[in-house]
């Protein structure tokens, strides 16, 4: 016997709410790194995350067995890549010295620990191109001037992670 549509919709909403309660913080952190906004004032990152979660919710009943976090992260990366021109001018933040593409590759590979093959496929780039972008981003981060402000500790953490 099939369940009524209203019951399925409520279950879907509960599942998605549980997912967002657990994953939204980590996804927002990735979005703030991408948009180079400070964590305490990040309207662009919040808009980006909201759009990614909306797309994730729209496909929520899609193929079972797919990791919803991977789906949301992929949507976040895709949306950022399609609107990267908005983020050309850095707004500060740890990854401010990098280009949008370098930020995206660095966040996926080091921040989110996405495999090189998966990152390349998601970005539509060859693996050697992703490797080159990551190497350039890490090099630029190592040679970026450090402040005495709060961002410098984040820069140091990324430098240590990139070694």
């Amino acid at each position: 016997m099939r369940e009524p549509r209203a019951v399925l919709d409520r279950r879907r909403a509960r599942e998605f709410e549980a997912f967002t309660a657990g994953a939204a913080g980590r996804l927002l952190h990735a979005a703030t790194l991408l948009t180079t906004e400070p964590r305490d004032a990040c309207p662009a990152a919040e808009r980006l995350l909201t759009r990614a979660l909306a797309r994730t919710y729209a496909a929520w009943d899609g193929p079972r067995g797919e990791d919803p976090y991977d789906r949301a992260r992929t949507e976040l990366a895709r949306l950022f890549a399609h609107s990267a021109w908005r983020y050309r001018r850095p707004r500060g933040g740890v990854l401010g010295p990098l280009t949008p593409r370098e930020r995206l590759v660095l966040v996926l590979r080091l921040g989110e620990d996405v495999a090189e093959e998966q990152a390349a496929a998601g970005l539509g780039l060859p693996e050697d191109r992703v490797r080159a972008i990551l190497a350039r981003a890490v090099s630029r981060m190592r040679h970026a001037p450090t402040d005495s402000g709060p961002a410098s500790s984040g820069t140091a953490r990324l430098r240590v992670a990139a070694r």
Side-chain angles (χ1 to χ4, degrees), residues 64-127:
R64 291 291 175 182
E66 182 182 15
D67 182 9
Y69 186 83
D70 285 346
R71 173 85 173 184
R73 182 182 54 222
T74 300
E75 290 295 341
L76 183 70
R78 188 175 297 140
L79 287 167
F80 178 78
H82 287 297
S83 62
W85 58 271
R86 294 180 184 164
Y87 308 105
R88 294 181 121 194
R89 227 175 298 134
R91 299 176 176 129
V94 175
L95 303 182
L98 304 178
T99 67
R101 182 176 274 181
E102 290 170 339
R103 286 194 303 259
L104 182 55
V105 170
L106 188 76
V107 168
L108 287 176
R109 291 285 292 124
L110 298 180
E112 291 292 314
D113 201 27
V114 174
E116 191 172 276
E117 309 83 43
Q118 189 179 358
L123 298 174
L125 296 171
E127 289 179 39

